[in-house]
Structures are given as C-alpha cells and as structure tokens.
Amino acid sequence: MLSRLSEWFWNERLWFPEGLGWADLEGRDGLNYAKASDLWVTLPIALAFLIIRQIFERTVAIQMAAALGIKEEVRMRATHNPTLESYFSITNKNPKQSEVESLGKKTGYSERQIHRWFRRRRNEERPNKLKKFREASWRFTFYLLAFIAGLAALIDKPWLYEMKEMWTGFPMLTLLPSQYWYYMIELGFYMSLLFSVASDIKRKDFKEQIVHHVATILLISFSWCVNYIRAGTLIMLVHDASDYLLESAKMFNYAGWRKACNYIFIVFAVSFIITRLVIFPFWILHCTWVYPVTVYRPFFGYYFFNGLLFVLQCLHIFWAVLILRMAIKFLPGNNIVEDERSDREETDSEDDEEEQEDRKAPMKNGPVQNGHSPLNNNHHRKTE
C-alpha cells in the first residue's frame, strides 16, 4: 500500500514536463542538483533555531530592551477565587450581564468587582511588551540577515534581473552552495516558526499565519524537490525584503519611540506594496504562470507550484488591507501606529475612579455593598 502510494506520489508525469524526469537530476560530471533527501537536514536546523531563539531572547533581546527603556510590566493580578477561575477557564472569559449577576450571587462580589476580576484575569493571559519585543527582535534579526544573505547570493545571478532566466536549462539547474544554504536555512526557520506557534503571541490573523507558514514550507520544499530553485530564491528574497522593517517598527512601537516607529512603518508599507503587490504578482508570478507554458505543456507540478503562489498572494492582499487600515489611522496625525492584529490590554483605572467617587458619597447613592453602590454596579468600561 505504502509502496504504491510512494510510486504514485513520485510519478514523473506529476512533477515534470513531458520528456523529463528524476534521471535528469542525477549528479554527473561533478555537477550537483537538488535532491529531496537533502530536506532532512532542515529538521536539525529547525531545532537549532528553536534553541538559538531561546538564548537570543533571554540575552541579546533583554539587553536591547533595556537599552530602549522597556521593562517588565507589573500588572494587577486577579485575586484567587475558585468559582470565578473555574468559570473563566471552562465556560467564558467574557461573561454576559446575566452571567455576571449569577456569579455575584455565588461569590458575594458586586458586579463591578466581577468585571474587574475578569479584566485582570484576561490581562494575565495577554503577553506584555517585553515578551512582544523579544519576539519581534528575534524575527527582525533573522529577516534582516536573511535578506542580506539572499541579496549577496543573488546579486550576480542573471535571473535576478531577467526573470525568464530562471527557466533557462530547466530542470538541469546546477545547485550552488549559496543556494543550498539559503534554502535550508529559510526552510528550517519557517519550520521552527510552525513548531513554536503554540507559545508565540497569538494575534487576530493567527489562522492566516498558520496558512502562510504551511504554504511557505510546502512551496520551498516542492520547489527544491523539482529544482525550481531559481524561482524559489527570488520568492524568498522578495518576502524577506520588507519583513524586517515591520519587525523593527514593532520594536520601536513597544519602546515608545513614536516618530521612529511611524517613519519605519511608512517605509515598510511602501516596501510591502512594491514587493508583494507589484513585483511578486506582475514579475515573479507572471513568469511562473505565463512564461513556462510557452516552453512546456502544463503539468500537475506547474499547477501545484502556482497554486501555492496564489495562496500567498491572497494572504498578501489580506495583510495589505490591514496595513492600509493602519496607514489611514496614521495619516491624520495619530501619535503611534499600532498593530491591527494585536490584542489590546484592558485597564480598570476609570472603574477605580468611579469607585472612589462612590466611597466619597455613599449616602447619595444609597446603601453600599462590598464598597460599591448597587445602583452603579453596571457602570464598567474598557479602556483601550
């Protein structure tokens, strides 16, 4: 059963144009070609990235945060209450008004106290600025180094300037050491991101990030197996060209450097639009979708490869919308551009002010229960 499945999966008619096959990728005359077996090395590379990341975030990132004035935030913790904790963990983290009243009867808390408890408990699960900075600094460092390395590997290659050159001699495209390590390191990094997704900060586009990581891993792996390495290197370079700018903008955002954040964000937005919505679809995607059929008859691998590219392009459009929404907020003169995907922390400062006012005038509002006026227990507000 497995042998038949493997035979079908690696069928030459699926992955190569007519008249070409795996035999054409056998090394000969001292020339090396990409092989599927090479991809096994990405597993230890991904593990190494996970280890290096932990060391980086606990040493270098902490020092960078200290230099920018970012400190560990002290948050008000929710008081221990088994009833509320059980409801929070099992039933709902944002109880409705009727549920708040029911919990008040069980615990003896006023409605305002229950709202405050849930706000503080939700905040406990939100990552603080230091954690966000550490994660952003790690990604910034990798994307910047990857972009520089990719540019150095491709700067003298003809297909960087003439896209059609990526298909010259296909599939017998000689593998260069720089291409080998560029591929292995990029693939290992995205695998490490997929492995660490459970512990990373979850944003509003969490599902889209998962789709992006999976599509990227499949795209890099498939392009390697069938020797689309020239197209693959261009795709990776285009993606790395703007990612480090976004991460650096986040770093300055968390540090409170508003002008620096805004200026870098503008550069990032322009870079993203140019690379993801212009160069990627009208140069690279055009050359992988339109040009090959003038040389070969379409085959399954052609459709599969371009299908993954179209998935990435859909994600580019989705993220471009988020970027434009942030840009619109920035243009009127907002002090800072916040990540649309981030979950904002709630505060109870206004609620505390109302509580102090109630304590100053208890007779005006009637009897006080647990330090709060029953008539005003429904006055709670989330401050963003």
Side-chain angles (χ1 to χ4, degrees):
M1 179 66 179
L2 292 177
S3 61
R4 290 182 179 180
L5 181 62
S6 176
E7 183 180 352
W8 171 84
F9 182 81
W10 297 108
N11 192 307
E12 293 179 345
R13 299 284 68 78
L14 292 177
W15 309 116
F16 291 95
E18 186 176 354
L20 299 173
W22 299 112
D24 296 302
L25 297 183
E26 293 293 333
R28 61 178 69 88
D29 300 328
L31 301 178
N32 295 319
Y33 302 99
K35 298 179 179 61
S37 58
D38 295 334
L39 296 179
W40 286 109
V41 76
T42 59
L43 291 177
I45 290 178
L47 179 61
F49 268 125
L50 292 174
I51 296 174
I52 295 172
R53 175 179 177 177
Q54 293 300 316
I55 297 174
F56 178 91
E57 290 189 359
R58 286 168 168 75
T59 55
V60 178
I62 292 293
Q63 295 176 1
M64 293 171 63
L68 293 175
I70 302 175
K71 300 179 180 179
E72 190 78 41
E73 296 175 342
V74 179
R75 291 174 171 171
M76 295 293 292
R77 300 183 62 85
T79 56
H80 178 68
N81 188 297
T83 302
L84 297 181
E85 182 65 36
S86 176
Y87 187 91
F88 181 88
S89 303
I90 300 175
T91 307
N92 191 357
K93 297 181 180 181
N94 293 276
K96 299 178 181 178
Q97 183 61 31
S98 59
E99 296 168 338
V100 170
E101 294 174 358
S102 176
L103 290 171
K105 294 177 181 179
K106 294 179 180 179
T107 60
Y109 282 13
S110 67
E111 292 180 15
R112 181 180 296 160
Q113 287 176 314
I114 292 176
H115 284 299
R116 180 184 291 113
W117 189 95
F118 274 92
R119 278 196 298 272
R120 291 178 177 176
R121 185 64 181 84
R122 286 192 296 266
N123 283 337
E124 290 178 16
E125 296 195 343
R126 291 188 174 97
N128 57 32
K129 285 186 179 181
L130 182 59
K131 177 176 174 57
K132 292 178 181 179
F133 179 88
R134 288 163 53 185
E135 182 176 307
S137 62
W138 164 249
R139 294 178 187 241
F140 163 77
T141 302
F142 175 82
Y143 290 138
L144 178 60
L145 294 178
F147 176 67
I148 295 174
L151 193 60
L154 294 175
I155 194 68
D156 60 341
K157 304 301 185 294
W159 59 88
L160 179 63
Y161 309 98
E162 180 59 43
M163 296 293 174
K164 293 182 180 179
E165 286 293 325
M166 72 173 70
W167 300 112
T168 301
F170 175 81
M172 287 77 75
L173 305 178
T174 305
L175 178 64
L176 302 175
S178 59
Q179 294 173 324
Y180 174 85
W181 286 111
Y182 190 30
Y183 253 86
M184 297 301 108
I185 291 175
E186 285 273 353
L187 183 55
F189 177 75
Y190 280 104
M191 291 178 66
S192 72
L193 291 183
L194 193 61
F195 294 156
S196 64
V197 70
S199 59
D200 286 346
I201 298 172
K202 291 181 174 58
R203 305 183 186 275
K204 295 177 182 178
D205 64 343
F206 174 76
K207 294 181 180 179
E208 288 79 8
Q209 286 283 358
I210 295 295
V211 173
H212 174 268
H213 294 340
V214 172
T216 301
I217 291 172
L218 290 175
L219 181 63
I220 295 176
S221 301
F222 171 76
S223 64
W224 178 267
C225 291
V226 296
N227 217 18
Y228 290 0
I229 52 176
R230 292 180 180 177
T233 52
L234 289 177
I235 293 168
M236 291 187 294
L237 182 67
V238 165
H239 281 75
D240 291 336
S242 59
D243 285 341
Y244 70 93
L245 292 171
L246 175 61
E247 300 303 330
S248 62
K250 291 180 184 178
M251 292 166 61
F252 286 109
N253 181 1
Y254 303 142
W257 291 37
R258 298 180 176 181
K259 290 185 178 180
C261 170
N262 291 341
Y263 291 146
I264 294 174
F265 179 81
I266 293 174
V267 177
F268 159 72
V270 173
S271 175
F272 186 94
I273 297 299
I274 293 175
T275 56
R276 307 292 181 91
L277 299 186
V278 179
I279 295 178
F280 184 81
F282 295 108
W283 269 266
I284 296 179
L285 193 52
H286 178 270
C287 200
T288 61
W289 177 254
V290 177
Y291 179 72
V293 296
T294 65
V295 183
Y296 306 106
R297 293 180 58 185
F299 54 101
F300 175 79
Y302 161 82
Y303 292 112
F304 182 75
F305 182 69
N306 284 285
L308 292 174
L309 294 181
F310 276 111
V311 170
L312 287 182
Q313 185 57 31
C314 290
L315 292 173
H316 295 164
I317 296 172
F318 170 80
W319 283 316
V321 172
L322 294 182
I323 292 171
L324 291 176
R325 287 174 59 183
M326 286 187 280
I328 290 173
K329 291 182 178 180
F330 164 72
L331 290 176
N334 289 343
N335 289 329
I336 195 163
V337 176
E338 295 185 2
D339 193 340
E340 281 281 339
R341 304 169 300 158
S342 297
D343 193 15
R344 296 175 180 176
E345 183 172 345
E346 301 169 278
T347 66
D348 47 27
S349 58
E350 292 188 12
D351 193 50
D352 289 340
E353 291 176 2
E354 292 181 5
E355 180 181 359
Q356 292 176 3
E357 292 177 1
D358 289 341
R359 287 177 175 174
K360 290 178 181 178
M363 297 303 296
K364 181 179 180 179
N365 293 325
V368 175
Q369 179 181 358
N370 293 329
H372 306 285
S373 170
L375 297 178
N376 290 329
N377 282 339
N378 61 335
H379 291 287
H380 58 279
R381 192 175 301 172
K382 183 172 84 170
T383 303
E384 297 180 348

